[in-house]
Amino acid sequence: MTTVEDTIETYLERKAVGDPDGPGAGTYASNAESILRRWGEWLAREHDVDSIFDLETEHMRSYAAELDERTEAGTYTASTAGTYYAVVRAFLSWCVHGGILETNPAAVDAATEALPTDDENGRSRGQFWTSDQRRALESAVRERALEATDAGRSERIGRLRDYAMVAVLAHSGARGAELFRVPEDDRRTGATWADVDFYTGSIRVLGKSQRLEDAPLPAAARTPLRRYRVVLDPPSNEWPLFPTRHAPSIARRVRSVLAERGHDEDEIDAILEGTTATEVARERSIAPPAITTEGARSILRRLCETVDVDVDGDYLKPHGARRGLEEELYRRDPTTAQTALRETFLEQSIVVVEEGHESGIELETEDVVDEQAADE
């Protein structure tokens, strides 16, 4: 098998020695190395692609979407993302010229159209959810969640998670990189239940500024999130909002935490014997990893295919939700569109305490209305 890693190694060697006296030859190889190696690691981690022959256009489209997501989160500029993609595309062109690949999967429109771009006003241009698309998707996942009332626990959790995820993305203005795990960024491990404040109607996230910020959680997002929490029943508030269901990832986390707690390999094997890592995680309050940004996109892709909702033939992506909200604000006031989603959250999420309620429980008026409608 010709691995991606080995092919990258050969490419870098050829670039470094192909024209040793040429200007910038060594510099290019050095700069390209980190980009290509990170891309190779991303392929293996997110798509389980090790062989260069298994590479397809869909993988490169996914990589372009990943760069777009990073640009939206403020990790990269659009030009930096374009440079990264160009380096990978040049490498794959070399593979074609060398007879390793028949075609370049990075050079087709289906892949490159997912890359981030800037419009004439300097704003990031890309997909955004229209109000009709948002309502169609949200309505469909809500119905799927309601239909799972008598289903098994795992099925109910899955459908309520889908509903909560769509609702939070659609109404909070939170970026995918703020809600889900970014494997290459140790600080972006995914939002947890400790970050959610149902009383103020907000969720604390690591913003684009690299500082903690409060994103709004209007009633339309709080209600499905609360219902999801009831069924998920997280053992602690450190549990991710959207934990991975990937068994090997959960097993690695469980083994790692048990080792940190002083258990040796034999003890860990004994603890896991006759049970699953997921069950051990819950019993011992070991928070599993959150789903990744790529995992969230895969879920949205599946949901859009299931309910037949798309944007020009493509599925609705996490960053498109925020862009949809921002686009509406931009039409009203271009000067404040990017900050309004965070600055006004307290005005958007007012909690009304009903005086004299027999149980003494604080009620959120908007939530009560939504819950009544859902039961009809």
Side-chain angles (χ1 to χ4, degrees):
M1 178 180 73
T2 303
T3 67
V4 173
E5 182 180 1
D6 289 343
T7 309
I8 289 174
E9 191 68 36
T10 302
Y11 172 73
L12 294 173
E13 290 176 358
R14 298 287 177 83
K15 282 296 178 181
V17 302
D19 183 16
D21 298 324
T27 302
Y28 174 82
S30 176
N31 292 337
E33 180 176 6
S34 61
I35 295 171
L36 291 173
R37 293 200 189 284
R38 286 199 300 271
W39 170 72
E41 292 169 357
W42 175 87
L43 271 178
R45 181 181 62 253
E46 299 293 349
H47 295 284
D48 198 26
V49 172
D50 292 320
S51 171
I52 192 70
F53 303 126
D54 292 337
L55 190 62
E56 299 178 356
T57 296
E58 183 57 33
H59 298 136
M60 291 309 303
R61 180 178 179 79
S62 177
Y63 180 59
E66 178 76 12
L67 293 173
D68 190 36
E69 187 82 14
R70 299 293 183 83
T71 301
E72 176 67 15
T75 306
Y76 301 148
T77 64
S79 60
T80 297
T83 298
Y84 281 24
Y85 192 89
V87 169
V88 176
R89 181 166 53 193
F91 160 67
L92 295 175
S93 292
W94 175 83
C95 291
V96 172
H97 295 320
I100 299 172
L101 295 176
E102 292 185 5
T103 59
N104 186 343
V108 297
D109 291 343
T112 58
E113 66 185 10
L115 285 169
T117 55
D118 291 331
D119 65 15
E120 64 275 9
N121 296 314
R123 293 188 302 130
S124 179
R125 184 176 69 229
Q127 183 198 98
F128 65 89
W129 300 11
T130 66
S131 57
D132 288 341
Q133 290 161 344
R134 185 195 69 228
R135 282 194 294 268
L137 179 59
E138 195 172 5
S139 176
V141 295
R142 174 176 172 271
E143 288 302 317
R144 289 181 73 252
L146 292 176
E147 291 170 359
T149 302
D150 298 325
R153 183 173 182 275
S154 178
E155 179 70 14
R156 289 182 65 201
I157 289 177
R159 294 197 181 191
L160 285 167
R161 178 206 62 187
D162 294 347
Y163 179 26
M165 180 184 298
V166 169
V168 171
L169 284 170
H171 299 287
S172 72
R175 301 176 178 88
E178 296 171 341
L179 294 173
F180 314 117
R181 180 165 56 92
V182 180
E184 297 87 355
D185 191 333
D186 292 339
R187 296 188 69 196
R188 297 192 179 277
T189 56
T192 69
W193 291 103
D195 297 320
V196 177
D197 189 332
F198 284 110
Y199 183 76
T200 62
S202 64
I203 178 171
R204 174 97 7 133
V205 297
L206 180 62
K208 186 175 181 180
S209 64
Q210 298 299 310
R211 294 190 298 270
L212 293 175
E213 303 173 3
D214 289 310
L217 273 182
R222 289 195 301 269
T223 297
L225 194 61
R226 183 182 289 108
R227 288 176 174 169
Y228 166 54
R229 181 190 171 102
V230 168
V231 179
L232 179 65
D233 189 24
S236 75
N237 281 336
E238 302 309 314
W239 213 259
L241 258 61
F242 306 108
T244 183
R245 304 177 86 176
H246 185 239
S249 296
I250 298 173
R252 283 194 296 270
R253 172 63 60 82
V254 167
R255 286 184 171 276
S256 174
V257 173
L258 288 176
E260 291 173 1
R261 293 179 180 178
H263 296 283
D264 60 30
E265 283 298 318
D266 290 339
E267 290 174 332
I268 293 174
D269 290 339
I271 290 171
L272 290 169
E273 186 176 358
T275 186
T276 66
T278 299
E279 292 171 341
V280 172
R282 294 189 65 84
E283 291 170 0
R284 296 175 177 258
S285 194
I286 300 174
I291 64 172
T292 64
T293 49
E294 177 63 24
R297 285 196 292 269
S298 295
I299 291 171
L300 283 175
R301 184 186 299 111
R302 170 179 55 78
L303 290 174
C304 288
E305 291 173 352
T306 300
V307 303
D308 196 24
V309 175
D310 63 60
V311 179
D312 298 327
D314 197 6
Y315 71 97
L316 275 63
K317 301 172 183 177
H319 63 260
R322 178 183 171 85
R323 283 176 174 172
L325 293 175
E326 192 173 274
E327 188 71 18
E328 294 179 11
L329 291 170
Y330 185 83
R331 286 196 296 269
R332 299 175 200 166
D333 185 357
T335 63
T336 62
Q338 291 191 4
T339 57
L341 286 175
R342 297 289 159 88
E343 289 179 346
T344 61
F345 85 90
L346 287 174
E347 298 175 8
Q348 299 173 27
S349 308
I350 299 175
V351 177
V352 179
V353 179
E354 183 176 321
E355 295 182 1
H357 192 266
E358 292 181 0
S359 66
I361 298 175
E362 296 170 346
L363 299 178
E364 296 181 50
T365 304
E366 292 173 293
D367 283 356
V368 173
V369 173
D370 281 355
E371 288 174 3
Q372 290 173 341
D375 293 334
E376 293 176 355

